[in-house]
C-alpha cells in the first residue's frame, strides 16, 4: 500500500518535495487507503490500467 501511496504523491508533486514532507504525505495517503477497502480497490484497479497502457 505504501508504494501505491508513493506513486500517487509522485504523480501529483513529482520528486520536488522535501523528504520529510513527502514521507508525511505518503503516510497520510496510505492510512486513507487502508481505511477504505472500496477506495483502495478502485485506486489499485485504476493504477493497474495505467501501468498496462505504459508498458
Amino acid at each position: 500500500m505504501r508504494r501505491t501511496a508513493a506513486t500517487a504523491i509522485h504523480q501529483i508533486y513529482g520528486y520536488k518535495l522535501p523528504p520529510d514532507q513527502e514521507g508525511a504525505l505518503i503516510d497520510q495517503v496510505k492510512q486513507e487507503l487502508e481505511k477504505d477497502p472500496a477506495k483502495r480497490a478502485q485506486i489499485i484497479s485504476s493504477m493497474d490500467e495505467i501501468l498496462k497502457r505504459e508498458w
Side-chain angles (χ1 to χ4, degrees):
M1 222 20 62
R2 185 163 171 74
R3 286 183 187 179
T4 301
T7 300
I9 294 301
H10 291 145
Q11 282 193 318
I12 294 169
Y13 298 102
Y15 292 88
K16 300 174 185 174
L17 295 174
D20 57 334
Q21 186 179 6
E22 179 182 285
L25 285 172
I26 290 170
D27 289 340
Q28 287 176 358
V29 171
K30 180 180 173 273
Q31 289 172 4
E32 288 302 313
L33 291 174
E34 289 172 345
K35 281 197 258 181
D36 188 342
K39 186 186 300 183
R40 179 178 62 221
Q42 180 184 11
I43 289 170
I44 290 172
S45 176
S46 295
M47 290 183 74
D48 285 343
E49 289 300 316
I50 290 168
L51 290 172
K52 286 177 188 175
R53 283 185 251 148
E54 290 182 3
W55 294 99

